[in-house]
Amino acid sequence: MIRYTPKIRNILNFIDEYGFITSRICAYVFFKNSKCQLEMARKTLRKLANNKDIVANKDKYGRELIYQFKKSTVSDHKYYLLNFYAEIFNQVTEIEYFKLEESWGSRRSDAHIIFNNIIDGQDSFKSYLIEYDKFHKTNPVEKYNEIYDSGYVQEWYREREGLENHFPDIIIINYSGKCVESNRDEYKIIGLDYNFTDLLQKVILP
């Protein structure tokens, strides 16, 4: 018998919103401060699956179990973006905002994240626009110069955060972690590989 506690309901709501969850994502997001977070996440998801609230499905690479309401293929795009979200969630004080597929006029970012982190007693505000680039087809310089020049992002931050002329740095997620450099001073481009190597140094602490 499962008690549908607020945590259990939040896990189910996450699956409803994003289409899936893994043990690692569940551990980092819903058992962040637990001593045995991964084991607790696995135990909880197994219980939900045994209770037929969700189903367990092997991902297409056989890496790990994907928990869903109904078995379906999870795109690499969504898989890595939500794993990135979970990694950030696990390491920072607070995620203020996260959205997949954020539109800026005729262009869009794969994801948009804002988080706050208290470091040595000081509040550190960070924001990023994120691209998942499986086949290195994205030209981030061309794309984000166009987005920058449109002014949509700056207006968003002016209205929501009260920041003038703010434009986030860009994160490119691909298998190598390599990316081109920005050709302007208003933002920089950061490359991350699929394991998010050096996430702390590249994204959280700068």
Side-chain angles (χ1 to χ4, degrees):
M1 184 70 179
I2 287 183
R3 290 178 58 247
Y4 291 94
T5 63
K7 187 188 294 288
I8 293 294
R9 290 197 296 271
N10 287 337
I11 291 170
L12 293 173
N13 287 338
F14 185 98
I15 297 172
D16 185 49
E17 180 173 1
Y18 296 113
F20 79 100
I21 200 167
T22 66
S23 294
R24 186 172 298 278
I25 291 173
C26 186
Y28 286 174
V29 175
F30 297 104
F31 296 93
K32 177 178 177 177
N33 297 315
S34 301
K35 191 172 182 180
C36 302
Q37 59 182 166
L38 188 56
E39 183 53 40
M40 293 180 71
R42 285 172 177 156
K43 183 178 179 180
T44 300
L45 293 173
R46 278 198 302 268
K47 281 185 177 180
L48 286 169
N50 290 338
N51 199 53
K52 301 189 184 305
D53 292 299
I54 57 177
V55 294
N57 185 24
K58 274 281 184 73
D59 78 352
K60 63 183 180 180
Y61 299 114
R63 293 170 296 205
E64 57 188 326
L65 288 176
I66 301 285
Y67 292 90
Q68 304 168 290
F69 290 132
K70 183 180 180 180
K71 288 186 178 182
S72 62
T73 300
V74 174
S75 68
D76 290 340
H77 174 275
K78 185 175 284 188
Y79 176 85
Y80 285 110
L81 290 173
L82 287 183
N83 271 279
F84 172 82
Y85 167 79
E87 290 280 350
I88 293 290
F89 195 104
N90 193 48
Q91 296 190 48
V92 305
T93 306
E94 175 194 29
I95 290 186
E96 179 183 323
Y97 181 85
F98 177 74
K99 184 178 180 180
L100 297 176
E101 306 294 343
E102 187 83 271
S103 294
W104 313 110
S106 62
R107 289 287 206 168
R108 69 182 182 186
S109 300
D110 288 339
H112 179 196
I113 193 167
I114 302 172
F115 60 85
N116 296 290
N117 204 25
I118 298 176
I119 303 172
D120 297 328
Q122 299 295 316
D123 188 23
S124 174
F125 172 92
K126 298 288 184 182
S127 62
Y128 296 96
L129 303 177
I130 308 156
E131 294 289 323
Y132 169 68
D133 188 21
K134 182 176 182 179
F135 298 111
H136 295 278
K137 290 184 177 179
T138 302
N139 182 336
V141 174
E142 178 182 318
K143 177 176 180 176
Y144 280 96
N145 281 350
E146 182 179 332
I147 290 174
Y148 181 90
D149 292 337
S150 75
Y152 282 105
V153 175
Q154 296 91 321
E155 182 63 24
W156 191 96
Y157 276 90
R158 185 180 301 113
E159 292 181 355
R160 182 183 174 94
E161 301 290 339
L163 298 173
E164 292 294 330
N165 299 317
H166 180 79
F167 195 86
D169 289 334
I170 314 305
I171 292 173
I172 306 295
I173 299 172
N174 57 38
Y175 75 89
S176 67
K178 296 178 180 179
C179 65
V180 298
E181 292 185 1
S182 172
N183 63 359
R184 57 200 306 172
D185 296 330
E186 290 84 1
Y187 66 87
K188 64 181 179 180
I189 300 174
I190 301 162
L192 287 176
D193 62 26
Y194 290 162
N195 294 317
F196 312 119
T197 304
D198 297 326
L199 178 70
L200 189 67
Q201 292 79 6
K202 288 183 174 182
V203 173
I204 297 175
L205 292 181

